[in-house]
Amino acid sequence: MEKTTRRKFVKDSMKATVATAIGSSLLTKTAAAGSNGFAYKFSQQPLPYAYNALEPTIDATTMDIHYNKHHTAYVKNVNEAIVAENLEYATEMEFFANASKLSPKVRNNSGGVWNHNFFWKTMKPSGQPPNSKVEDAINGTFGSLNKFKEQFTAASMARFGSGWAWLVIDQKNLKIGSTPNQDNPLMDQSELKGTPLLALDLWEHAYYLKYQNKRNEYVSNWWNLVNWDEVAKQMA
Ligand code: MN3
Protein backbone atom coordinates (compact mmCIF):
# COMPACT_ATOMS: atom_id res chain seq x y z
CA MET A 1 0.00 0.00 0.00
CA GLU A 2 1.33 3.42 -0.94
CA LYS A 3 2.01 5.61 2.11
CA THR A 4 -0.67 8.33 1.69
CA THR A 5 -3.31 5.79 0.64
CA ARG A 6 -2.52 3.72 3.70
CA ARG A 7 -2.82 6.76 5.97
CA LYS A 8 -6.20 7.58 4.38
CA PHE A 9 -7.32 3.96 4.84
CA VAL A 10 -6.46 4.06 8.55
CA LYS A 11 -8.19 7.41 8.93
CA ASP A 12 -11.36 6.16 7.17
CA SER A 13 -11.38 2.96 9.25
CA MET A 14 -11.22 5.04 12.40
CA LYS A 15 -14.09 7.24 11.20
CA ALA A 16 -16.16 4.12 10.53
CA THR A 17 -15.44 2.77 14.03
CA VAL A 18 -16.48 6.05 15.63
CA ALA A 19 -19.67 6.16 13.51
CA THR A 20 -20.55 2.62 14.56
CA ALA A 21 -19.98 3.47 18.20
CA ILE A 22 -22.22 6.56 17.97
CA GLY A 23 -24.83 4.53 16.11
CA SER A 24 -24.98 1.78 18.68
CA SER A 25 -25.05 4.20 21.64
CA LEU A 26 -28.04 5.96 20.02
CA LEU A 27 -29.77 2.61 19.63
CA THR A 28 -29.07 1.70 23.23
CA LYS A 29 -30.36 5.06 24.39
CA THR A 30 -33.60 4.70 22.40
CA ALA A 31 -34.22 1.18 23.63
CA ALA A 32 -33.60 2.22 27.23
CA ALA A 33 -35.72 5.39 27.16
CA GLY A 34 -38.03 5.81 30.11
CA SER A 35 -37.28 5.51 33.80
CA ASN A 36 -38.86 2.06 33.69
CA GLY A 37 -36.92 1.20 30.54
CA PHE A 38 -40.06 1.56 28.41
CA ALA A 39 -40.83 4.50 26.14
CA TYR A 40 -44.53 4.77 25.33
CA LYS A 41 -45.48 4.67 21.67
CA PHE A 42 -48.83 5.96 20.50
CA SER A 43 -50.97 3.69 18.34
CA GLN A 44 -53.97 4.02 16.08
CA GLN A 45 -56.97 1.94 17.13
CA PRO A 46 -58.80 0.09 14.35
CA LEU A 47 -61.80 1.98 13.00
CA PRO A 48 -64.81 0.22 14.62
CA TYR A 49 -66.89 0.35 11.40
CA ALA A 50 -66.50 0.60 7.61
CA TYR A 51 -65.59 3.93 5.97
CA ASN A 52 -69.11 4.20 4.54
CA ALA A 53 -70.90 3.12 7.75
CA LEU A 54 -71.64 6.69 8.85
CA GLU A 55 -73.15 7.74 5.50
CA PRO A 56 -74.92 9.96 4.73
CA THR A 57 -73.90 12.10 7.74
CA ILE A 58 -70.18 11.51 7.20
CA ASP A 59 -69.22 10.40 3.71
CA ALA A 60 -66.87 7.48 3.04
CA THR A 61 -64.20 9.62 1.34
CA THR A 62 -63.98 11.94 4.34
CA MET A 63 -63.72 8.94 6.70
CA ASP A 64 -61.05 7.28 4.58
CA ILE A 65 -58.88 10.42 4.33
CA HIS A 66 -59.51 11.38 7.95
CA TYR A 67 -58.51 7.95 9.28
CA ASN A 68 -55.77 6.94 6.84
CA LYS A 69 -54.12 10.30 6.21
CA HIS A 70 -54.77 12.68 9.13
CA HIS A 71 -54.97 10.23 12.02
CA THR A 72 -52.16 8.02 10.69
CA ALA A 73 -49.91 11.08 10.31
CA TYR A 74 -50.41 12.09 13.95
CA VAL A 75 -49.27 8.59 15.03
CA LYS A 76 -46.17 8.68 12.81
CA ASN A 77 -45.24 12.22 13.83
CA VAL A 78 -45.59 11.76 17.57
CA ASN A 79 -43.67 8.49 17.61
CA GLU A 80 -40.83 10.02 15.58
CA ALA A 81 -40.71 12.96 17.98
CA ILE A 82 -40.70 10.65 21.02
CA VAL A 83 -37.52 9.01 19.70
CA ALA A 84 -35.93 12.30 18.55
CA GLU A 85 -36.60 13.98 21.90
CA ASN A 86 -35.89 10.83 23.93
CA LEU A 87 -39.07 11.28 25.97
CA GLU A 88 -39.49 9.14 29.04
CA TYR A 89 -43.23 9.06 29.63
CA ALA A 90 -44.68 5.59 30.04
CA THR A 91 -48.40 6.23 29.41
CA GLU A 92 -50.63 8.51 27.35
CA MET A 93 -51.89 10.11 30.55
CA GLU A 94 -48.31 11.02 31.57
CA PHE A 95 -47.91 12.87 28.29
CA PHE A 96 -51.12 14.85 28.87
CA ALA A 97 -50.37 15.57 32.53
CA ASN A 98 -47.12 17.16 31.29
CA ALA A 99 -48.55 18.70 28.10
CA SER A 100 -47.39 22.22 28.97
CA LYS A 101 -43.77 20.96 28.90
CA LEU A 102 -44.07 19.13 25.57
CA SER A 103 -42.76 20.48 22.27
CA PRO A 104 -45.53 21.71 19.95
CA LYS A 105 -44.92 18.67 17.74
CA VAL A 106 -45.43 16.18 20.57
CA ARG A 107 -48.35 18.07 22.12
CA ASN A 108 -50.23 18.49 18.82
CA ASN A 109 -49.64 14.99 17.53
CA SER A 110 -50.17 13.10 20.81
CA GLY A 111 -53.47 14.94 21.20
CA GLY A 112 -54.26 14.18 17.57
CA VAL A 113 -53.81 10.45 18.10
CA TRP A 114 -55.79 10.24 21.33
CA ASN A 115 -58.62 12.55 20.26
CA HIS A 116 -59.30 10.60 17.07
CA ASN A 117 -59.14 7.18 18.77
CA PHE A 118 -61.76 8.55 21.16
CA PHE A 119 -63.85 10.26 18.46
CA TRP A 120 -64.19 7.08 16.35
CA LYS A 121 -65.55 5.03 19.23
CA THR A 122 -68.03 7.67 20.37
CA MET A 123 -69.81 7.39 17.02
CA LYS A 124 -71.74 4.49 15.54
CA PRO A 125 -74.08 3.94 12.62
CA SER A 126 -77.65 4.76 13.69
CA GLY A 127 -76.91 5.69 17.30
CA GLN A 128 -79.53 4.95 19.96
CA PRO A 129 -80.86 7.44 22.54
CA PRO A 130 -78.96 7.64 25.86
CA ASN A 131 -79.84 5.18 28.61
CA SER A 132 -81.72 6.44 31.68
CA LYS A 133 -78.57 6.91 33.78
CA VAL A 134 -76.94 9.16 31.18
CA GLU A 135 -80.19 10.99 30.45
CA ASP A 136 -80.77 11.63 34.19
CA ALA A 137 -77.25 13.05 34.52
CA ILE A 138 -77.77 15.28 31.45
CA ASN A 139 -81.22 16.42 32.62
CA GLY A 140 -79.82 17.15 36.08
CA THR A 141 -77.11 19.44 34.70
CA PHE A 142 -78.57 20.94 31.52
CA GLY A 143 -82.34 20.62 32.03
CA SER A 144 -83.04 18.33 29.08
CA LEU A 145 -81.31 16.46 26.28
CA ASN A 146 -82.37 19.18 23.85
CA LYS A 147 -80.91 21.92 26.02
CA PHE A 148 -77.71 19.92 26.31
CA LYS A 149 -77.55 19.63 22.52
CA GLU A 150 -78.14 23.38 22.16
CA GLN A 151 -75.27 24.19 24.53
CA PHE A 152 -72.93 21.66 22.93
CA THR A 153 -73.76 23.05 19.49
CA ALA A 154 -73.16 26.60 20.73
CA ALA A 155 -69.74 25.56 22.06
CA SER A 156 -68.97 23.92 18.70
CA MET A 157 -69.94 27.04 16.77
CA ALA A 158 -68.04 29.36 19.12
CA ARG A 159 -64.71 27.58 18.62
CA PHE A 160 -62.88 29.80 16.13
CA GLY A 161 -60.73 27.83 13.70
CA SER A 162 -59.72 24.25 14.39
CA GLY A 163 -60.45 22.37 17.58
CA TRP A 164 -62.78 20.05 19.43
CA ALA A 165 -66.05 20.28 21.38
CA TRP A 166 -66.34 18.11 24.49
CA LEU A 167 -68.66 16.80 27.14
CA VAL A 168 -66.54 15.97 30.18
CA ILE A 169 -67.12 14.83 33.73
CA ASP A 170 -65.07 16.59 36.37
CA GLN A 171 -65.55 15.53 40.01
CA LYS A 172 -69.02 14.21 39.17
CA ASN A 173 -70.01 17.43 37.35
CA LEU A 174 -70.84 17.39 33.65
CA LYS A 175 -69.33 20.24 31.65
CA ILE A 176 -69.40 21.35 28.02
CA GLY A 177 -66.52 23.19 26.40
CA SER A 178 -64.04 23.24 23.57
CA THR A 179 -60.29 23.10 23.05
CA PRO A 180 -58.11 24.58 20.29
CA ASN A 181 -56.08 22.55 17.76
CA GLN A 182 -55.50 19.00 19.07
CA ASP A 183 -55.58 19.92 22.75
CA ASN A 184 -57.88 17.91 25.00
CA PRO A 185 -59.33 18.18 28.53
CA LEU A 186 -56.74 15.70 29.89
CA MET A 187 -53.92 18.19 29.23
CA ASP A 188 -52.53 20.11 32.19
CA GLN A 189 -52.73 23.51 30.47
CA SER A 190 -56.32 23.06 29.20
CA GLU A 191 -58.92 25.54 30.47
CA LEU A 192 -61.55 22.79 30.15
CA LYS A 193 -60.56 19.89 32.38
CA GLY A 194 -62.15 16.51 33.07
CA THR A 195 -62.62 13.00 31.79
CA PRO A 196 -63.94 13.12 28.21
CA LEU A 197 -67.35 11.52 27.67
CA LEU A 198 -68.06 12.78 24.16
CA ALA A 199 -65.98 14.58 21.52
CA LEU A 200 -66.67 16.29 18.23
CA ASP A 201 -63.93 17.06 15.72
CA LEU A 202 -64.36 20.67 14.53
CA TRP A 203 -61.48 20.71 12.05
CA GLU A 204 -62.56 21.46 8.51
CA HIS A 205 -60.96 18.17 7.39
CA ALA A 206 -63.75 16.42 9.37
CA TYR A 207 -66.60 17.89 7.33
CA TYR A 208 -65.47 20.15 4.48
CA LEU A 209 -65.96 17.74 1.53
CA LYS A 210 -69.65 17.33 2.33
CA TYR A 211 -70.59 20.45 4.28
CA GLN A 212 -68.01 23.06 3.14
CA ASN A 213 -68.46 26.10 5.40
CA LYS A 214 -71.66 24.81 7.05
CA ARG A 215 -70.29 23.59 10.37
CA ASN A 216 -73.77 23.99 11.91
CA GLU A 217 -75.24 21.37 9.53
CA TYR A 218 -72.42 18.96 10.27
CA VAL A 219 -73.00 19.36 14.02
CA SER A 220 -76.76 19.02 13.78
CA ASN A 221 -76.53 15.85 11.62
CA TRP A 222 -73.80 14.37 13.82
CA TRP A 223 -76.23 13.85 16.73
CA ASN A 224 -77.63 10.84 14.79
CA LEU A 225 -74.26 9.13 15.15
CA VAL A 226 -73.59 9.61 18.85
CA ASN A 227 -72.71 6.34 20.54
CA TRP A 228 -74.44 6.94 23.87
CA ASP A 229 -73.47 3.43 25.05
CA GLU A 230 -69.86 4.56 24.93
CA VAL A 231 -70.74 7.77 26.81
CA ALA A 232 -72.38 5.59 29.52
CA LYS A 233 -69.26 3.41 29.65
CA GLN A 234 -66.97 6.43 30.10
CA MET A 235 -69.27 7.81 32.80
CA ALA A 236 -69.26 4.58 34.86
MN1 MN3 B 1 -59.63 15.24 12.69
Side-chain angles (χ1 to χ4, degrees):
M1 209 179 272
E2 197 261 346
K3 217 175 178 182
T4 51
T5 312
R6 185 181 156 75
R7 198 176 294 143
K8 185 175 183 306
F9 173 75
V10 171
K11 211 170 142 197
D12 285 350
S13 309
M14 279 175 67
K15 268 192 209 158
T17 309
V18 171
T20 307
I22 290 170
S24 59
S25 89
L26 273 179
L27 280 176
T28 312
K29 204 173 178 193
T30 303
S35 47
N36 58 359
F38 173 77
Y40 186 80
K41 291 286 170 63
F42 282 79
S43 58
Q44 185 175 30
Q45 299 303 307
L47 197 64
Y49 32 72
Y51 300 125
N52 65 357
L54 307 183
E55 295 257 19
T57 304
I58 298 177
D59 59 284
T61 306
T62 296
M63 276 307 299
D64 185 356
I65 295 171
H66 202 172
Y67 183 81
N68 289 308
K69 304 293 182 198
H70 294 276
H71 194 190
T72 302
Y74 298 130
V75 178
K76 179 176 171 283
N77 290 339
V78 73
N79 287 335
E80 278 175 7
I82 285 170
V83 172
E85 299 178 26
N86 198 26
L87 296 181
E88 303 197 333
Y89 303 114
T91 66
E92 289 174 319
M93 293 309 140
E94 271 187 34
F95 277 84
F96 300 144
N98 293 285
S100 55
K101 294 179 226 154
L102 299 174
S103 67
K105 183 172 182 179
V106 174
R107 175 168 150 187
N108 290 334
N109 288 286
S110 63
V113 178
W114 193 94
N115 296 350
H116 288 85
N117 281 334
F118 186 78
F119 182 48
W120 309 138
K121 70 179 177 183
T122 53
M123 294 189 289
K124 66 191 264 191
S126 57
Q128 301 294 310
N131 69 23
S132 58
K133 189 189 157 200
V134 172
E135 192 162 12
D136 286 352
I138 285 178
N139 290 345
T141 305
F142 306 104
S144 69
L145 188 57
N146 277 339
K147 283 190 178 145
F148 159 69
K149 288 181 180 179
E150 277 171 25
Q151 280 190 42
F152 191 96
T153 302
S156 303
M157 297 308 293
R159 169 53 54 193
F160 186 78
S162 299
W164 291 78
W166 303 91
L167 171 67
V168 302
I169 189 161
D170 184 25
Q171 322 213 342
K172 298 190 176 170
N173 298 314
L174 296 183
K175 293 193 292 194
I176 289 169
S178 72
T179 52
N181 306 314
Q182 295 293 355
D183 284 359
N184 68 44
L186 299 164
M187 292 182 173
D188 64 343
Q189 88 300 336
S190 180
E191 274 178 45
L192 175 72
K193 282 206 179 61
T195 303
L197 300 178
L198 186 62
L200 177 57
D201 191 338
L202 301 172
W203 284 57
E204 285 185 346
H205 67 228
Y207 62 87
Y208 205 85
L209 287 184
K210 186 176 169 75
Y211 298 94
Q212 293 86 45
N213 59 320
K214 293 167 288 206
R215 184 188 279 185
N216 57 334
E217 269 183 39
Y218 160 66
V219 177
S220 97
N221 289 350
W222 168 78
W223 290 112
N224 301 321
L225 301 176
V226 171
N227 184 352
W228 288 105
D229 293 340
E230 191 60 37
V231 175
K233 216 164 105 185
Q234 302 298 329
M235 205 183 265

